[in-house]
Amino acid sequence: MKIEHGILLHDTIGRVFGLLDAQTVERSFRQWVSGILPALEPGTVVAVDGKTSWRCGSDEHGRQHLVSALASGVDVVLGQQAATEKPSEITATPQLLQALAIEGAIVTTDAAGTHAPISQAIQDRSADYVLAVKDNQPLLADSIRAFFATGQATQWAHVDYDYYDTVEKDHGRIETRRYYAFGQLDSLSNPGQWPGLKMFRVVQAECTVKDRTSNEQRLYIGGISPQARKFAYALRSHLEVKNRLHWCLDVCLDDDQARARLKNGAQKLAAIKRMVHNVLRLRTSGQKGDIKARRLVASSYLGFPLIDANALLSIMKNRSPSYGLRLPKRYSLVWPHFVSGF
């Protein structure tokens, strides 16, 4: 877009964002994503999580809280859905899932998304799920803890389970994770309320920093087969929505410092930021540096390209399902004209 009289003023940009229709912007964003990532390979982990932009919003709409879906491995935001606050993720998450093509994927959420309507929405999209269980589902959590404690006391006599463990050493910390996967659904409290439920899991995490050791037990349910290694991959992939998306938005794109408060302009600005995130994550060829460095290059180069969709699909077909997708250092690039979608 050619601007004859120079860069627009801050107030002018704010008024333009306030006039745009939020649903049209969201729809255009998802259409653009589907252009660069038309389909997901079976077994791809789609991490769903909410984030609050603390300085965005208004007295009328409240703080800006969005639920985002990230395709782990490729680090592409598939879509977002506005939620008024954290508890409203229960209704925002199914709305987001209905708009995404996630057939064959594994959808992961934290405990805020562990509700029967959300598991039903995932099943309706022909996908599987891994949901964290905490005290927001007290009967379910207590039944898993009781089953696990009984199994440990009897040294797992006559108990069929799958086991996998990992040890990570980083930043002076040694963390051991032990993954247990079970298929004895009749031991759970009201398992019939969870559509497609196939197994439940327990993770025992032991973290040692210098001479201090802490232990934590985490509980999960899922619609995937009771394989501990597959569960561990899904669980670790879910962390990318925190470490790769939310961290990037706050540190590299200053999301928590933004003050978009006119009407629902914050929601539309969030869609633009997630588009920028996708561009910078996919653009790694021929340049060194982190997201901030790529952002600087993009601001000074109008021909800043994106990854070619066909190249991305060929990479996904050759990925290892045990370790997820990792993009090679070099691939063919094109510049799609997605801006016209807005």
Side-chain angles (χ1 to χ4, degrees):
M1 181 175 64
K2 184 177 180 180
I3 304 177
E4 297 181 356
H5 302 289
I7 298 176
L8 300 177
L9 296 177
H10 173 274
D11 292 348
T12 302
I13 296 176
R15 287 194 296 270
V16 171
F17 269 87
L19 293 174
L20 293 176
D21 179 68
Q23 297 301 322
T24 302
V25 173
E26 295 288 350
R27 185 168 56 253
S28 299
F29 172 73
R30 291 166 185 164
Q31 290 174 352
W32 172 73
V33 171
S34 64
I36 62 173
L37 192 63
L40 297 176
E41 279 291 295
T44 301
V45 175
V46 176
V48 177
D49 195 25
K51 182 185 183 301
T52 300
S53 300
W54 292 102
R55 297 192 179 187
C56 285
S58 62
D59 295 337
E60 178 183 358
H61 297 91
R63 286 194 179 99
Q64 177 68 37
H65 188 83
L66 292 174
V67 180
S68 300
L70 179 77
S72 299
V74 287
D75 295 331
V76 171
V77 181
L78 302 178
Q80 64 178 21
Q81 181 65 41
T84 55
E85 54 188 3
K86 185 74 174 178
S88 64
E89 288 187 18
I90 301 174
T91 57
T93 300
Q95 295 174 5
L96 173 61
L97 295 173
Q98 290 173 3
L100 302 179
I102 55 174
E103 290 78 7
I106 301 174
V107 179
T108 61
T109 72
D110 57 15
T114 307
H115 296 277
I118 293 180
S119 63
Q120 182 63 64
I122 297 172
Q123 288 286 294
D124 292 342
R125 303 300 295 167
S126 301
D128 295 323
Y129 59 85
V130 172
L131 309 178
V133 178
K134 292 186 178 180
D135 290 336
N136 63 333
Q137 298 288 343
L139 297 180
L140 179 61
D142 290 343
S143 63
I144 297 177
R145 293 190 187 104
F147 177 87
F148 190 77
T150 302
Q152 282 186 315
T154 61
Q155 297 183 353
W156 307 110
H158 309 293
V159 177
D160 186 21
Y161 70 97
D162 194 31
Y163 175 80
Y164 178 68
D165 61 67
T166 61
V167 178
E168 294 183 0
K169 301 178 181 180
D170 195 12
H171 300 289
R173 178 178 63 183
I174 302 176
E175 186 166 2
T176 303
R177 300 182 185 89
R178 301 178 179 89
Y179 302 86
Y180 298 83
F182 306 95
Q184 293 84 348
L185 302 182
D186 54 350
S187 302
L188 301 181
S189 173
N190 192 16
Q193 69 172 319
W194 305 99
L197 181 64
K198 295 180 180 178
M199 54 103 75
F200 61 97
R201 313 162 179 81
V202 177
V203 179
Q204 287 190 311
E206 179 183 290
C207 183
T208 301
V209 180
K210 295 183 179 180
D211 57 345
R212 299 178 59 182
T213 300
S214 60
N215 293 275
E216 184 180 3
Q217 187 181 76
R218 304 162 190 162
L219 313 177
Y220 300 87
I221 60 174
I224 61 177
S225 57
Q227 300 175 6
R229 186 181 181 90
K230 184 177 181 180
F231 158 61
Y233 165 67
L235 187 60
R236 299 299 291 170
S237 296
H238 177 75
L239 297 179
E240 293 189 12
V241 74
K242 302 282 190 182
N243 301 334
R244 305 282 290 177
L245 174 59
H246 294 171
W247 181 91
C248 178
L249 291 175
D250 286 335
V251 177
C252 301
L253 300 178
D254 295 327
D255 187 60
D256 274 345
Q257 301 302 319
R259 295 174 179 267
R261 297 177 177 176
L262 185 61
K263 297 183 180 179
N264 56 358
Q267 179 181 350
K268 290 162 279 191
L269 180 61
I272 301 297
K273 287 184 177 181
R274 281 155 177 79
M275 178 182 290
V276 171
H277 168 274
N278 288 351
V279 172
L280 297 180
R281 284 295 185 194
L282 293 176
R283 172 56 171 163
T284 60
S285 176
Q287 295 173 354
K288 297 181 180 180
D290 56 7
I291 294 297
K292 287 187 175 181
R294 297 175 204 167
R295 180 184 177 187
L296 178 62
V297 173
S299 66
S300 58
Y301 176 42
L302 295 178
F304 193 81
L306 275 174
I307 187 172
D308 178 69
N310 294 327
L312 179 60
L313 287 178
S314 65
I315 295 169
M316 295 184 70
K317 290 180 181 179
N318 296 324
R319 75 184 181 96
S320 171
S322 299
Y323 301 99
L325 174 62
R326 291 295 180 268
L327 296 180
K329 293 183 178 180
R330 296 187 178 276
Y331 40 74
S332 58
L333 300 166
V334 296
W335 172 249
H337 301 283
F338 65 88
V339 179
S340 60
F342 289 92

